[in-house]
Amino acid sequence: MSNPPRLPAPSLRDLGVINWVFCTVASKRLRVENMHLFATLGQHKRLLKAWLPFAGVLLRGKLPKTDTELVILRVAHLRESEYELQHHRRIARSVGLDDAVQAAIFTGPDADGLTERQRILVAATDELVHTRTLSDATWDRLAQQLDRPRLIEFVTLAGQYDALAATLSALRVPLDYPE
């Protein structure tokens, strides 16, 4: 990231004991010096505590993990969110989305190497991110793949990661893996 972060690295006092412990444990678990997203959001103590369960429900929701990671990767690619890409490329590999499939996700819905379901999810993600809604035709294609709870989750997941990309960009949150 070429621009400096907008917020200084937080102290224990900035985070409070609970958020400081959480950020420390999360950093050790991920083997990074600082889990910058959590350390940044943790400076608004109530926000981090409210956001974590919401984000967790989306990451472990009703959508298959491969669908969840596909949507996150596509949003991160569209929004050029290197922070999201660094974390979720690793997670996507662990759930079966190898580098070739990830490259196809980044190329778009017409790329070789995607299943029909993946094409529909990529196209719907593109439309939702670009237009902030879904056309009836896209909704109908998506509804052939997803039931009602998963349709709701898809829209919420894409919107959450779009908002997160904006937050990361506006606050200039440093990368956790600066390689």
Side-chain angles (χ1 to χ4, degrees):
M1 195 172 274
S2 59
N3 293 318
R6 289 216 158 109
L7 300 173
S11 66
L12 171 61
R13 184 175 185 185
D14 296 324
L15 292 171
V17 172
I18 293 170
N19 286 353
W20 184 85
V21 168
F22 174 78
C23 291
T24 301
V25 169
S27 296
K28 286 181 181 180
R29 185 170 176 255
L30 292 172
R31 298 184 183 109
V32 296
E33 184 179 326
N34 185 343
M35 186 74 186
H36 290 98
L37 171 62
F38 296 161
T40 299
L41 295 182
Q43 293 176 63
H44 185 305
K45 295 170 186 78
R46 288 179 51 217
L47 179 65
L48 180 64
K49 289 174 188 167
W51 176 79
L52 281 170
F54 174 70
V57 166
L58 290 173
L59 285 175
R60 291 177 297 285
K62 293 183 176 289
L63 286 170
K65 290 185 185 330
T66 53
D67 290 354
T68 297
E69 292 305 321
L70 176 148
V71 171
I72 294 168
L73 288 177
R74 188 62 184 168
V75 171
H77 171 74
L78 293 173
R79 292 299 183 215
E80 299 176 358
S81 179
E82 187 60 29
Y83 191 101
E84 290 177 336
L85 286 168
Q86 278 192 346
H87 281 275
H88 287 279
R89 288 199 70 164
R90 296 166 198 263
I91 296 168
R93 274 188 217 100
S94 76
V95 298
L97 298 176
D98 63 23
D99 290 342
V101 174
Q102 288 186 34
I105 291 166
F106 301 145
T107 299
D110 297 326
D112 290 335
L114 295 176
T115 66
E116 183 60 22
R117 179 185 178 96
Q118 290 170 331
R119 290 179 194 286
I120 292 166
L121 289 169
V122 170
T125 301
D126 287 3
E127 188 172 319
L128 188 57
V129 167
H130 292 305
T131 69
R132 313 302 296 159
T133 193
L134 295 170
S135 67
D136 289 340
T138 300
W139 180 262
D140 291 344
R141 287 181 68 210
L142 202 56
Q144 291 173 7
Q145 300 293 322
L146 306 176
D147 62 11
R148 189 178 304 168
R150 287 166 184 80
L151 286 164
I152 295 165
E153 187 173 308
F154 165 81
V155 172
T156 307
L157 176 70
Q160 148 66 10
Y161 275 86
D162 193 13
L164 184 57
T167 300
L168 291 162
S169 176
L171 295 178
R172 297 183 188 154
V173 175
L175 298 175
D176 293 339
Y177 304 98
E179 71 262 3

